[in-house]
Amino acid sequence: TTYSSEFFNTAGRNVKTGLTASVIVSQWTWAATLLQSSNVTWSYGVSGPFWYASGATIQVLLFGILAIEVKRRARTAHTVTEMVLARWG
């Protein structure tokens, strides 16, 4: 079977929500974030990491809402330039 570059770039559109969520969380929790959460724990106690993560979670949720809206408006877009083309023609 011959596959196109679109199939390769979109993983055949077979990536499920769980894998997508785990990728976002793994990219979000990199070394500096882990070190900073330890620093916040040292400074503010046990509730520090909770509030630190709560603030960062808002960013992830807003990105998710934005991604859903972009996908509604430009279903076939794969790159930022294709999204711009769908929006401003």
Side-chain angles (χ1 to χ4, degrees):
T1 306
T2 304
Y3 296 115
S4 65
S5 62
E6 180 180 355
F7 183 87
F8 175 78
N9 288 329
T10 61
R13 305 213 183 264
N14 289 325
V15 178
K16 304 295 181 208
T17 307
L19 181 59
T20 303
S22 65
V23 167
I24 290 171
V25 169
S26 68
Q27 290 178 348
W28 177 51
T29 56
W30 59 302
T33 301
L34 296 174
L35 291 172
Q36 180 60 20
S37 65
S38 300
N39 188 23
V40 170
T41 304
W42 180 261
S43 299
Y44 298 106
V46 178
S47 67
F50 173 77
W51 292 112
Y52 180 79
S54 297
T57 301
I58 292 169
Q59 299 169 11
V60 174
L61 290 173
L62 288 175
F63 176 77
I65 292 167
L66 177 67
I68 290 169
E69 193 60 33
V70 166
K71 204 58 177 169
R72 283 185 186 152
R73 294 180 186 216
R75 290 198 179 276
T76 60
H78 301 108
T79 63
V80 174
T81 53
E82 289 176 342
M83 291 177 213
V84 170
L85 179 65
R87 171 64 178 94
W88 289 286

